């Protein structure tokens, strides 16, 4: 196989963890909405610029503007309370009792220890994550290579990550925090199996 040259197309394999943007994904929707809004604002500015004929007294403009300010402030306040309030319901922090299965995870330069390394499917599992030296990042990938959870592994602290696995198979761990020369080699795995034992 010849070495790649400029202008070559590089084919990414989706299973390698590279996400291909497609319609229906939130990033694409956000890009379209943002683009349409930006275009609308640009057209509005153009219309205003071409239709402006003469100066309007400042008092006329400010009177109209101030009438609008109070309801606008009320609207923004309501929106803020609603969005912040809703986000509190969706906080991804551990809640409820301690799950039956607790996995001890420890990161070190440059390895992971995971005990136990075979876990039951369909039940909540607590990962007690810590580090023996520097900060590491505990990132969990499902058998399809999708990131499903992560938490910092910090020396002197135990961080609690709770996950429920619905797919059986091999789950991969990758380090998420640059921790030294062999950081990229900090790959480990555990298995998820149907039922207990
Ligand atoms: Cu690392």
């Amino acid at each position: 196989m010849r070495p790649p040259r400029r202008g070559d197309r590089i084919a990414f394999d989706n299973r390698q963890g590279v996400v291909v943007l497609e319609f229906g994904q939130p990033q694409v929707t956000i890009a379209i909405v943002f683009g349409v809004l930006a275009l609308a604002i640009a057209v509005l500015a153009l219309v205003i610029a071409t239709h402006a004929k003469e100066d309007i007294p400042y008092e006329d403009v400010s009177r109209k503007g101030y009438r609008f300010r109070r309801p606008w402030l009320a609207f923004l306040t309501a929106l803020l309370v609603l969005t912040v309030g809703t986000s509190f319901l969706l906080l991804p922090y551990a809640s409820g009792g301690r799950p039956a299965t607790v996995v001890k995870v420890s990161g070190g330069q440059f390895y992971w220890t995971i005990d136990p390394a075979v876990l039951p499917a369909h039940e909540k599992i607590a990962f007690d994550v810590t580090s023996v030296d520097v900060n590491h990042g505990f990132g969990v990938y499902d058998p399809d290579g999708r990131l499903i959870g992560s938490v910092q592994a910090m020396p002197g602290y135990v961080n609690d990550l709770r996950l429920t696995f619905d797919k059986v198979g091999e789950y991969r761990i990758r380090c998420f925090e640059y921790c030294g020369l062999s950081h990229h080699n900090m790959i480990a795995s555990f298995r998820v199996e149907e039922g207990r034992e």
Side-chain angles (χ1 to χ4, degrees):
M1 206 176 84
R2 68 172 177 80
R5 285 190 217 124
R6 259 184 85 174
D8 278 359
R9 279 167 175 274
I10 298 165
F12 286 108
D13 184 354
N14 200 16
R15 286 164 302 178
Q16 301 281 306
V18 176
V19 177
V20 179
L21 284 184
E22 284 166 358
F23 278 99
Q25 287 182 325
Q27 297 95 319
V28 177
T29 311
I30 291 166
I32 291 171
V33 169
F34 186 84
V36 168
L37 283 178
L39 202 68
I41 290 170
V43 168
L44 187 68
L46 201 69
V47 169
I48 291 169
T50 51
H51 283 67
K53 293 191 181 84
E54 62 207 36
D55 284 354
I56 301 169
Y58 174 69
E59 288 71 33
D60 291 1
V61 180
S62 68
R63 207 180 312 121
K64 277 184 189 166
Y66 272 71
R67 207 182 308 148
F68 182 60
R69 261 181 24 155
R70 212 172 275 271
W72 180 242
L73 178 68
F75 168 73
L76 287 182
T77 308
L79 193 67
L80 180 80
V81 169
L82 195 74
T83 48
V84 172
T86 310
S87 71
F88 273 121
L89 301 174
L90 303 170
L91 286 181
Y93 300 127
S95 61
R98 204 87 175 116
T101 307
V102 178
V103 184
K104 297 274 176 208
V105 176
S106 183
Q109 288 168 313
F110 298 95
Y111 60 90
W112 293 104
T113 56
I114 302 161
D115 181 35
V118 179
L119 304 172
H122 317 298
E123 65 174 80
K124 196 169 266 187
I125 289 163
F127 291 87
D128 282 353
V129 182
T130 189
S131 166
V132 297
D133 39 41
V134 299
N135 268 29
H136 299 279
F138 179 70
V140 183
Y141 290 81
D142 75 3
D144 300 326
R146 283 179 189 278
L147 178 69
I148 54 167
S150 91
V151 74
Q152 283 276 308
M154 301 154 75
Y157 293 87
V158 176
N159 290 327
D160 182 357
L161 175 69
R162 306 221 174 153
L163 294 170
T164 304
F165 305 110
D166 289 322
K167 286 181 201 153
V168 297
E170 187 97 359
Y171 285 68
R172 289 228 148 185
I173 308 301
R174 288 193 173 94
C175 185
F176 264 20
E177 183 79 48
Y178 183 70
C179 56
L181 279 182
S182 283
H183 158 70
H184 59 283
N185 284 330
M186 281 186 68
I187 299 170
S189 66
F190 58 83
R191 282 199 64 76
V192 169
E193 291 180 354
E194 211 66 66
R196 292 192 70 84
E197 253 63 86

